[in-house]
Amino acid sequence: MSARGRPTAELGWRIERTMQVHPQPHLMPTFVANHDVDRFLAGGDEAGLRQALLSMLTLPGIPTIYYGTEQGFREQRGAMFAGGYGSGGRDHYDTQAPLYRYLQRAIALRRDHRVFSRGMPSVIAQDASGPGVLAYLMRDENQTALVAFNTASHAALLEPVDTGLAPGTVLRGAFGIEGEAQDLIVDGDGRVHLPLAARAGVVWLAGDERRTVPTPRSTVAFVG
């Protein structure tokens, strides 16, 4: 996610372009900050950082988390421990820090589901006008996952998007940046749609379970 409120279509384009340009994208290190650039929080907020980390952990590559990210560092090369430069004279290693605990959850999601480290992404929703929805599918030979974000500061609607999944497929909520992710049911046209809260990030996993869904009907427009 962008720290500066750019259109989500820019990241969508980068995801797709990376898959096209690099023959082995799964072997490329990925990061949201390092020692040569400003930290994310130097120009962005914690909600954006949580989204950026979740996107990194659900896309191909080798996630590289710069030390101090999990402690909310804003200074580029500040020391983790009291004796180092920019430490403010105190230790900063805290396993109860909110970002530390958040990363534990997000890393466990990637570790427990191979689709995020070995799958290939396909972008299915993006916003070309500014902050808003970004959604992509991750697929490998065994599993499909749906990842959706809303980078806007207001609620947004994930318009009906084609998943390529069978009607009635149950998408189990696997991760939510805030709270629990609710299960979804793929509709009779193989699509999903749902509202996304401001600054949301949600992950679902498709299983073998199917539910009965209404048969799709043609849309009829009435003209007065």
Side-chain angles (χ1 to χ4, degrees), residues 190-210:
R191 304 176 303 176
V192 294
H193 52 94
L194 75 157
L196 292 168
R199 315 304 292 277
V202 194
V203 181
W204 296 269
L205 293 165
D208 296 328
E209 184 181 356
R210 300 286 186 272

Side-chain angles (χ1 to χ4, degrees), residues 14 18 40 44 47 60 63-64 83 130 132 154 159 172 182 197 206 218 223:
R14 288 183 180 276
T18 296
F40 190 102
T64 306
H154 53 78
E159 300 286 354
R172 292 293 184 190
Q182 300 298 312
S218 299
V223 180

Side-chain angles (χ1 to χ4, degrees), residues 1-220:
M1 302 299 109
S2 171
R4 297 175 176 83
R6 302 292 299 170
T8 59
E10 293 185 9
L11 181 55
W13 180 85
R14 288 183 180 276
I15 292 170
E16 293 176 333
R17 187 63 175 161
T18 296
M19 298 304 107
Q20 296 167 1
V21 170
H22 299 286
Q24 294 181 298
H26 298 83
L27 301 182
M28 296 179 60
T30 55
F31 52 86
V32 299
N34 62 40
H35 63 284
D36 287 327
V37 299
D38 287 340
R39 288 187 180 272
F40 190 102
L41 290 178
D45 59 20
E46 187 170 315
L49 177 58
R50 288 173 183 253
Q51 290 186 321
L53 292 168
L54 182 57
S55 66
M56 180 177 70
L57 289 164
T58 54
L59 286 167
I62 303 171
T64 306
I65 300 170
Y66 187 38
Y67 85 93
T69 299
E70 79 290 350
Q71 303 297 333
F73 276 23
R74 285 172 164 76
E75 185 171 341
Q76 189 177 22
R77 301 188 186 188
M80 180 71 75
F81 298 103
Y85 166 80
S87 69
R90 64 185 182 89
D91 292 336
H92 295 271
Y93 183 71
D94 179 7
T95 59
Q96 299 305 308
L99 282 169
Y100 187 102
R101 299 294 295 273
Y102 172 75
L103 272 167
Q104 280 184 316
R105 290 201 300 127
I107 291 168
L109 174 73
R110 184 181 182 89
R111 183 186 62 233
D112 293 344
H113 302 286
R114 184 181 172 87
V115 65
F116 299 118
S117 59
R118 295 295 185 271
M120 292 293 288
S122 56
V123 177
I124 59 173
Q126 54 192 328
D127 194 326
S129 62
V133 171
L134 174 73
Y136 50 87
L137 294 167
M138 286 291 293
R139 288 191 175 98
D140 66 8
E141 63 276 13
N142 298 311
Q143 194 165 46
T144 298
L146 169 62
V147 185
F149 297 95
N150 174 19
T151 65
S153 57
H154 53 78
L157 180 65
L158 176 61
E159 300 286 354
V161 289
D162 186 13
T163 65
L165 296 169
T169 297
V170 177
L171 288 163
R172 292 293 184 190
F175 188 93
I177 288 179
E178 296 291 344
E180 297 295 325
Q182 300 298 312
D183 294 349
L184 296 179
I185 309 297
V186 176
D187 73 14
D189 292 315
R191 304 176 303 176
V192 294
H193 52 94
L194 75 157
L196 292 168
R199 315 304 292 277
V202 194
V203 181
W204 296 269
L205 293 165
D208 296 328
E209 184 181 356
R210 300 286 186 272
R211 301 276 180 87
T212 301
V213 294
T215 302
R217 295 181 179 179
S218 299
T219 301
V220 179

